[in-house]
Amino acid sequence: MKPLRTFKVTPYLPAPLESLRLLAYNLHFSWNVETRSLFRRMDPDLWDACGHNPVAFLGRIRQERLDELAEDPGFLAQLERASQQLQSYLQKDTWYRKYRSAQAVEGECYAYFSAEFGLADCLPLYSGGLGVLAGDHLKAASDLGLPLVGVGLLYQKGYFRQYLNPDGWQQERYPINEFFNMPLELQKDAEGQEIRIEVDYPNRKVFARIWKVMVGRVPLYLLDTNIEPNSQYDQDITDELYGGDQDLRIHQEIMLGIGGVRALRALGIHPTVYHMNEGHSAFLAVERIRLLMAEQGLSFEEAWQVAKSSQMFTTHTSVPAGIDLFPPDKIDYYLGFYYSQMGLSRERFLALGRENTGDFQSPFSMAVLAINMASFVNGVSKLHGAVSRKMFSRLWPGIPLEEVPITSITNGVHVRTWVGEENQALYDRYLGPDWAEAPPSDPLWQKVDRIPDGELWRAHERSRSRLINFTRERLMAQLQKRAASAAEIQRASEALNPEVLTIGFARRFATYKRATLLFHNLERLKALLNHPQYPMQFIFAGKAHPRDIPGKELIRQIVQVSRQPEFRQHLVFIEDYDMYVTSLMVAGVDVWLNNPLRPREASGTSGMKAAANGGQNLSILDGWWDEADYYQTGWPIGRGEEYEDRAYQDEVESNALYDLLEQEVAPLFYQRGSDGLPHQWIQRMKQAIRLNCPRFSTQRMVLEYVQRAYIPLSNYFDRMRRDHFESARQFVRWQNHLQEHWYNIQVLHVQIETPKKASTTGLALAQNDQVVMAREPLTVTVEVRLGSLQPQDVIVQAYQGPVNEDGQIQKGQATPLRYVETVEDRAIFSGQICYEASGLQGLAIRLLPFHPDMHDPYELRLMLWA
C-alpha cells in the first residue's frame, strides 16, 4: 500500500541532549575520538548494531535511556566537550584563511569529482582504496579550510556486503541504504521543494535529487536517481557502485560528470577548478564546453581552452585494462547529440577520447578524454607517475618520455581517522594537539623519541588485543551464520594469541596483489606459524569484485588453508572487510604485508595507515613504499626487480618473504630487554611514526594539490575568463596561427664555439665525436627561419645528455637559448652550455611554442627537433 504522504521523522531528544543532532550530522565524528566515545557510551551494543551510524542510532535508542542520559552529569559534561570540539574545529583559523584567502580569485572554489567516497563505515559508498583516498582528501581539505566541494553519486545499495559459503566462496548481499537514517541532508530550495536536476539520455530525460554530507567544513553533494518519474532502469543508475554492464556504467558516468556539473549550478556553486579523481567523471568537461558555447558565445576551441584551464585529472591506474573504454557506437548513442551542439563531426568528437585519432575503430577512453581536457595531470606516487608517462606517452609524440607532462603527487592518509585511539592519546600528550597538521619538517616530530617505550608498547598491545577480540567475535559470528558445530565455534573463540607477532594483509582481492604469495610453500609457512621461539599469526581480509572469479578463488584458497588443523589457530580470514575492520587492523597489527606485482600498485594507502600507528611494512618496492624509508620503517621484499616469468617471480619473492619473516622480522620482535620490552622493535615503531606519519598524510598531499594545481589553475581560469573571455579568444587565435605555420619553421644553422677554437656545426660535433672538456663552456648559436611567426612565439633549447647504446640522448637537460636579433629572415638565438659528466654526450636543438597564457610548454603537444 503506497502512502498518501510521507514524513521524515527525526528522533525526539530531551533539551539537554539536542546538540547530539549536530554531532550526528557532521562526519567530524568519523575522526573525532571524543564524539565516537560519546555515542558508544550511550549504548555500546546498539552502536555496533547500527554500524556506527549516529543518525540511525539516535532513531533506535530507547527513550528511557535518553531520559537517563539527560540527567547524567558525567555524560552531559562529555557531550559538552564533544560539542565544543566540533564548534572549535569549525571556527578555527585555517591554512587557507591565513595564506590564500586574501589573494584568492573571485569566487574561488575547487570541485572534487569521484565515483566513490569512503568517509565512514556507516556510508557504504566506496569499494576500496580509491574511495577511501577520496574521503580522506575531503577530510584534509576540511582541516585546511579549503573552499572545496565534493561531487559523487548516492548508491541505494552501495558496494556489496561479503559473506562466505561453507566452501569459502565469496557471496554478495546488497542491503538497502536508508538515506533518511543516514547523516545526509536532502537539498531543497527556498520554498522547501527538492532541488532536482535533469540529464539528457537517448529519447528521455533522467531526474536526480541532491543530498549533502557535511565532512567537517566541506560539503559533499551526492546525486540520487531513485525517484519518480524516472523509470525503474533509470532509478537503478545510482543503485550499485560498479555494478551492472557497460551500458549502466556509461549511464553512471554521464550522471556523475554531466549531472554533477548541473547539480553544482542548481546549487549556485561555480567552481574555478574541477578535479577529476579517475576518469569516471570526465564527461563533465564535455558539458562545460557545451555550456560555454551556448551561454558565452565561444567557439569550440575557445570553450575547450577555458574549460581546460580549470580542469585537472588524477589517474590511479597502472595498466590499460583498468581504464574505462566504450565502443564508438555507445558514444554515438549516448552522446551523439553533443556532436552538433558543439559543431563537431563524429570523428572529431571521438578523437577527444582516442590515443590514435586516425584509428576510427579504436574505443573511446575516459582516461584519454580526461587528459585531453586537463591542464594538470598526475599519478599517485613517484613510481606511478613514471608508469603513467610511459602508458600515455603516445599522446605527446616527439617529446622525451621523462618530459611527458604527467607529474605525481603521492597519496596520503587522514591520520586522525586512521591512528588508533590509544596512539592518538599518546601523540596528543607528547607531541601536542596539532601533530596531525604538522609538516614533515616540523621539529615536533623529533619528540616522538621522547614517548616512553613502555607507554608506546602498552598502547600498541591494547590495540592488538582489541583486534584479536574483534577477530574472534567476527569468526564466531561467521560460523554461527553457517550453522557450524559447537566445537568449531569454540575453536574460533580461542583463535590467535594477543601476545604473538601479528601480521595483517587486507585489500581488494585483485590477482596482481598476490594474496596467496605467502602460501607458495605451505610446509615452510607451517614452520613459521608454529616456530617454538618465534611464532607468528596472520589476519587476512578483503573483497573480490563480484565478477572477478580469479579473485574469489584466492579468497577460497586462503579460507581452506585456514581450516587445516596446523593453521586454524594462527591464520584467519575476516569476512566483510570495511573501514571499521581496516581501522582495527592498521592499529593492531605489528606488520603490514603487501606483495603486489611491481609496478602494478599505483600507490596503496593501507600500509601508510599501519605506519602512522607504528606498524612495520613488509612489502614489494611498489607504489608509495618505493619512496619510503624502507630500511628504517620496515623491510623490502626484493630490490624492485621486474620479471618476465611470473612463476619464477613468485618462487623468488615468496622465498624472500619467508627468509625475512624467519631471519629478521620475528627474531627482532621477540628480542626483549630485562624489562620485557622489545626496545629495538619499539625504536623502529617510533621511526615509522616520525618518518611516515607526516610525509604520507593527506595534510601534506592536499597541500601539494593546492600549491601545485588548485591555486595555479584558479589563477589560469581567472585569466581566461577576463573581459568576457577575451583572453581566451586571443589565446586561441594565437594557437590557430601558430599551428598553421609551425611546420614551416626551418633550423638553418647550428654553430658550436669553445673558448679555445670555434667553429664547427653541432651535427659535425655529434657525428665526429670531437673531444670537449667537462665543464668547458660551449656557446651554441642557432639560426631559425620562423616564417610568419615571431621570435617571442617560440622557445629554442639546447638539449644535452648522455647517449645510450641506441644512439639516443637519455635523461636530457634542456637549456633555453636567448633571442639575439633577426637578420633578414633569420632569427638568431644563442646561449652557453657545458657537460658535467664525461663519456659520450649528445646535443640536439629543439623548438617549443611559447605564449604568456600557456600553462606549460607542452600544452599544444608541439615540439620541433632540428
Side-chain angles (χ1 to χ4, degrees), residues 56-301:
F57 175 78
L58 292 179
R60 290 176 57 184
I61 193 168
R62 294 178 298 109
Q63 195 64 49
E64 309 90 84
R65 177 61 176 154
L66 291 174
D67 292 338
E68 289 174 15
L69 293 168
E71 302 293 330
D72 182 340
F75 178 81
L76 293 176
Q78 185 177 6
L79 175 59
E80 176 61 26
R81 285 197 302 275
S83 300
Q84 186 58 49
Q85 286 178 17
L86 174 59
Q87 292 306 315
S88 297
Y89 176 83
L90 296 176
Q91 296 165 9
K92 183 180 177 181
D93 205 15
T94 63
W95 178 92
Y96 185 85
R97 195 176 302 163
K98 290 178 184 175
Y99 299 110
R100 173 61 179 171
S101 58
Q103 294 81 35
V105 304
E106 182 181 353
E108 186 158 274
C109 174
Y110 318 135
Y112 183 87
F113 282 67
S114 183
E116 51 176 303
F117 287 91
L119 291 155
D121 49 311
C122 66
L123 280 173
L125 308 175
Y126 62 95
S127 70
L130 174 70
V132 174
L133 182 279
D136 281 9
H137 192 111
L138 298 193
K139 292 174 183 179
S142 172
D143 293 341
L144 292 164
L146 303 185
L148 183 142
V149 298
V151 180
L153 301 179
L154 184 60
Y155 303 100
Q156 187 72 46
K157 296 177 182 175
Y159 205 52
F160 69 91
R161 307 301 299 269
Q162 177 197 57
Y163 68 98
L164 304 179
N165 71 10
D167 187 45
W169 192 257
Q170 174 182 290
Q171 305 289 304
E172 298 89 27
R173 60 187 179 87
Y174 292 88
I176 300 297
N177 287 323
E178 299 179 21
F179 297 155
F180 288 101
N181 275 323
M182 298 171 76
L184 304 165
E185 180 186 355
L186 189 60
Q187 296 302 280
K188 299 182 178 181
D189 61 22
E191 284 74 43
Q193 299 298 310
E194 289 183 2
I195 297 175
R196 293 191 175 186
I197 56 113
E198 57 184 54
V199 177
D200 297 302
Y201 287 84
N203 305 313
R204 70 196 193 281
K205 293 184 183 297
V206 177
F207 299 90
R209 56 184 173 179
I210 307 166
W211 298 78
K212 181 173 74 172
V213 183
M214 282 308 301
V215 185
R217 303 177 179 90
V218 166
L220 166 61
Y221 296 104
L222 301 168
L223 299 178
D224 168 23
T225 65
N226 190 33
I227 52 174
E228 294 182 349
N230 291 338
S231 68
Q232 187 59 55
Y233 183 90
D234 291 340
Q235 290 183 32
D236 289 345
I237 291 174
T238 56
D239 191 35
E240 296 174 22
L241 173 60
Y242 304 141
D245 56 14
Q246 198 173 53
D247 284 285
L248 184 59
R249 175 63 67 88
I250 198 170
H251 273 81
Q252 290 183 331
E253 297 190 358
I254 288 171
M255 182 56 64
L256 175 61
I258 296 173
V261 169
R262 296 185 182 184
L264 292 177
R265 285 165 60 90
L267 294 165
I269 298 170
H270 303 284
T272 54
V273 175
Y274 290 76
H275 186 168
M276 297 173 275
N277 189 43
E278 254 313 332
H280 308 115
S281 62
F283 288 136
L284 71 83
V286 175
E287 172 67 0
R288 292 192 65 219
I289 290 172
R290 183 192 70 81
L291 289 168
L292 285 163
M293 293 177 69
E295 297 176 357
Q296 305 299 332
L298 302 180
S299 69
F300 169 76
E301 289 79 10

Side-chain angles (χ1 to χ4, degrees), residues 422-659:
E422 290 83 1
N423 278 355
Q424 285 203 43
L426 274 183
Y427 300 174
D428 286 345
R429 188 180 318 134
Y430 288 99
L431 308 184
D434 297 326
W435 61 269
E437 287 79 43
S441 59
D442 196 312
L444 166 155
W445 292 105
Q446 302 307 315
K447 296 180 182 177
V448 170
D449 292 330
R450 300 181 193 173
I451 301 174
D453 284 6
E455 288 194 47
L456 181 59
W457 188 245
R458 283 192 295 273
H460 178 63
E461 287 192 311
R462 287 195 296 273
S463 296
R464 192 194 308 121
S465 294
R466 181 183 292 114
L467 170 62
I468 301 302
N469 291 335
F470 167 81
T471 301
R472 290 170 174 172
E473 291 171 2
R474 179 65 66 91
L475 289 172
M476 292 168 64
Q478 291 172 194
L479 291 168
Q480 288 167 349
K481 289 176 184 175
R482 293 200 291 270
S485 67
E488 285 182 282
I489 295 172
Q490 177 60 32
R491 282 196 297 268
S493 71
E494 300 167 355
L496 307 178
N497 182 338
E499 304 297 324
V500 165
L501 170 63
T502 303
I503 301 169
F505 181 101
R507 53 191 30 87
R508 185 168 53 89
F509 267 66
T511 52
Y512 79 86
K513 294 177 183 281
R514 296 192 295 178
T516 55
L517 186 68
L518 184 70
F519 300 81
H520 200 72
N521 185 332
L522 288 179
E523 288 303 313
R524 196 162 178 193
L525 176 60
K526 189 188 309 179
L528 288 171
L529 295 176
N530 296 282
H531 194 285
Q533 289 179 279
Y534 308 137
M536 60 186 70
Q537 57 197 12
F538 290 85
I539 301 175
F540 283 81
K543 297 176 178 179
H545 188 279
R547 292 193 294 275
D548 184 359
I549 302 304
K552 290 184 176 184
E553 179 59 31
L554 295 177
I555 293 174
R556 191 183 71 85
Q557 290 176 28
I558 293 171
V559 171
Q560 293 196 339
V561 169
S562 74
R563 291 175 180 172
Q564 297 177 22
E566 304 93 330
F567 294 97
R568 61 189 173 204
Q569 297 303 105
H570 313 284
L571 192 153
V572 300
F573 184 91
I574 303 175
E575 292 180 9
D576 204 23
Y577 183 51
D578 63 7
M579 289 181 67
Y580 181 63
V581 175
T582 307
S583 66
L584 292 171
M585 288 188 67
V586 296
V589 300
D590 302 293
V591 175
W592 195 260
L593 176 62
N594 188 32
N595 40 243
L597 287 168
R598 175 187 164 107
R600 301 281 298 276
E601 187 82 86
S603 173
T605 54
S606 56
M608 300 174 184
K609 300 178 179 82
N613 284 281
Q616 302 296 293
N617 274 269
L618 177 57
S619 177
I620 297 291
L621 290 178
D622 200 6
W624 78 281
W625 187 235
D626 185 60
E627 61 193 79
D629 188 331
Y630 42 76
Y631 287 113
Q632 292 194 77
T633 67
W635 296 268
I637 303 171
R639 295 296 181 270
E641 300 88 353
E642 296 176 26
Y643 298 83
E644 296 281 337
D645 186 334
R646 168 70 185 276
Y648 176 68
Q649 180 174 4
D650 288 352
E651 179 72 23
V652 169
E653 293 181 341
S654 63
N655 286 331
L657 173 57
Y658 297 138
D659 289 345

